[in-house]
Amino acid sequence: MPQQVRGVIARSKGAPVEIVPITIPDPGANEVVVAIAACGVCHTDLTYRDGGINDEYPFLLGHEASGIVESVGPGVTHVEVGDFVVLNWRAVCGQCRACKRGRPQYCFDTFNAEQKMTLEDGTELTPALGIGAFADKTLVHEGQCTKVDASADPAVVGLLGCGVMAGMGAAMNTGNVGRGDSVAVIGCGGVGDAAIMGSRLAGANTIIAIDRDPRKLEWATELGATHTINATEVDDVVEAVQELTGGFGADVVVDAVGRPETWKQAFYARDLAGTVVLVGVPTPDMKLEMPLVDFFSRGGASSRRGTAIACPSVTSPFWSTCTSRGVCRSRSSSVSASSSTRSRRPSRRCTAARSFVRWWSCDIACRSRRHLGHVQPRRRNLGRRQQHLADR
């Protein structure tokens, strides 16, 4: 029978959120009901409330979650009742043009539950990112559930479903950060910190954290940043980044804020032919005005979104294990904006992290492609970081 639970909804643009009874239908074919154990508060939920994603109100907010599989519908084979899972909003289809080319992390036709959760009066809810986890329970497609170690902290592994995948993917996948690169990250919230950790795991030599909050800069240093810039204490962020990179700018700049001002800073703070990655979510009313000749003359690449580091069904269990063992949290000594790049012997944590990156680079593609029935890409199609590690 359908069941009633509590959920947090946004009825209209900018309206205060409400905790109300919602109805969860029995799971249909390939659907799963998950009892939520923990859910992170992501800025994207605020963007949903404020109409920055679409206007399909009312929204059932929340998407960065973990929980226990309570019931499953017909045809479910991916998970079982009682499994501890991370919820991910990218459930690969295996059939779209991205999946058929062996790039499931860019799946263009991801699965969501077919049935709708509703309010008491029958009004259909739009779950944020197809999940809607600000609730006691939620209904999702089985492909949105990734089983992880049951001993992991629910509040920690829930972050793997969005912030960690987006930030690490922005650095390691989209930005293609490699050994010895310099990286700058603008905005040191959850996604920005994940980009910092991903850059460190990928072997970046200089990692610059940029924010306005001293607390966030301190946390960024603990998570792998080698330098910090407090944007309120410098006249020009771009010049500050250039000073820390020999006057050239960073090889990769990640904008984890998503505003025109920060994107311009990211664009000009990169080296010639460098890469700028936009992972912060802008709103529809934001406009960008820049001289087109600057795009031409500076070269390089501009990319949006990290989406996911790879197929979540393969990577989430490993990130969960790395987190529980402390691999993804490496502390470093406090470094000011004027400090030089550190040189140090790799710690046991760093060695384990690099081993994981090597495994991920060489194994993730073959495992996901084998799962989807695809052939291996030719060696020359590997990115520079994967090629470097494969040559070792």
Side-chain angles (χ1 to χ4, degrees):
M1 290 182 59
Q3 51 185 316
Q4 276 199 343
V5 300
R6 297 170 302 164
V8 178
I9 69 166
R11 291 186 186 272
S12 60
K13 183 176 180 178
V17 299
E18 305 172 45
I19 301 177
V20 300
I22 64 172
T23 301
I24 309 292
D26 291 335
N30 303 115
E31 293 177 344
V32 175
V33 172
V34 177
I36 301 300
C39 185
V41 180
C42 177
H43 195 275
T44 301
D45 292 303
L46 178 62
T47 306
Y48 264 102
R49 191 207 67 167
D50 292 341
I53 304 297
N54 57 53
D55 59 356
E56 298 173 6
Y57 294 95
F59 292 116
L60 176 59
L61 302 176
H63 60 275
E64 198 173 49
S66 63
I68 305 294
V69 175
E70 181 182 84
S71 59
V72 301
V76 172
T77 60
H78 187 60
V79 291
E80 299 176 347
V81 172
D83 283 349
F84 179 50
V85 298
V86 170
L87 298 181
N88 51 269
W89 45 268
R90 187 168 294 278
V92 297
C93 69
Q95 298 298 321
C96 71
R97 61 190 185 278
C99 288
K100 287 181 177 179
R101 294 174 67 186
R103 299 172 183 172
Q105 69 270 27
Y106 295 122
C107 177
F108 300 129
D109 192 21
T110 60
F111 292 123
N112 295 126
E114 292 289 336
Q115 299 184 91
K116 291 290 188 178
M117 295 175 278
T118 64
L119 297 175
E120 287 183 295
D121 62 3
T123 301
E124 293 185 349
L125 293 165
T126 301
L129 290 177
I131 294 177
F134 283 170
D136 297 317
K137 301 175 184 179
T138 192
L139 178 75
V140 295
H141 189 277
E142 64 168 323
Q144 294 178 267
C145 299
T146 300
K147 185 178 179 180
V148 294
D149 187 350
S151 65
D153 183 347
V156 174
V157 295
L159 302 177
L160 296 174
C162 181
V164 172
M165 287 291 181
M168 286 190 166
M172 302 173 73
N173 224 21
T174 309
N176 202 22
V177 174
R179 188 178 297 276
D181 280 350
S182 57
V183 180
V185 177
I186 301 176
C188 298
V191 173
D193 282 346
I196 288 170
M197 289 190 289
S199 299
R200 170 131 182 178
L201 287 171
N205 195 38
T206 301
I207 305 172
I208 305 167
I210 305 167
D211 204 284
R212 300 165 59 91
D213 189 335
R215 296 176 304 165
K216 291 183 178 181
L217 294 174
E218 182 179 348
W219 297 335
T221 301
E222 293 179 356
L223 294 171
T226 60
H227 305 77
T228 62
I229 296 174
N230 188 323
T232 66
E233 298 177 356
V234 297
D235 294 329
D236 190 321
V237 168
V238 173
E239 290 182 358
V241 172
Q242 291 172 340
E243 289 176 5
L244 295 171
T245 53
F248 303 113
D251 297 309
V252 179
V253 184
V254 177
D255 177 8
V257 177
R259 293 188 58 85
E261 301 88 347
T262 54
W263 195 92
K264 285 183 180 180
Q265 288 177 334
F267 179 84
Y268 290 110
R270 67 195 177 107
D271 196 358
L272 293 175
T275 299
V276 56
V277 180
L278 174 63
V279 68
V281 182
T283 58
D285 60 305
M286 293 180 180
K287 306 294 182 181
L288 182 66
E289 294 186 8
M290 292 179 60
L292 186 59
V293 68
D294 286 0
F295 287 88
F296 174 81
S297 61
R298 296 181 66 86
S302 171
S303 302
R304 65 162 292 277
R305 198 89 181 144
T307 58
I309 197 168
C311 184
S313 63
V314 181
T315 56
S316 285
F318 276 89
W319 288 123
S320 173
T321 302
C322 287
T323 300
S324 63
R325 293 180 181 179
V327 171
C328 291
R329 182 178 177 84
S330 53
R331 291 180 176 270
S332 57
S333 58
S334 299
V335 183
S336 66
S338 60
S339 299
S340 59
T341 302
R342 298 195 311 269
S343 61
R344 56 184 179 278
R345 295 181 59 188
S347 66
R348 185 166 59 181
R349 286 181 180 178
C350 291
T351 302
R354 289 169 184 167
S355 297
F356 173 77
V357 172
R358 187 178 301 112
W359 173 89
W360 170 74
S361 300
C362 300
D363 190 60
I364 200 70
C366 70
R367 290 188 63 178
S368 59
R369 286 173 176 78
R370 187 164 61 242
H371 172 70
L372 297 171
H374 301 309
V375 298
Q376 293 288 338
R378 283 185 288 181
R379 184 183 181 87
R380 64 183 177 84
N381 288 333
L382 293 175
R384 57 174 178 168
R385 177 170 51 80
Q386 292 92 331
Q387 183 72 66
H388 170 78
L389 292 173
D391 289 338
R392 295 191 59 181

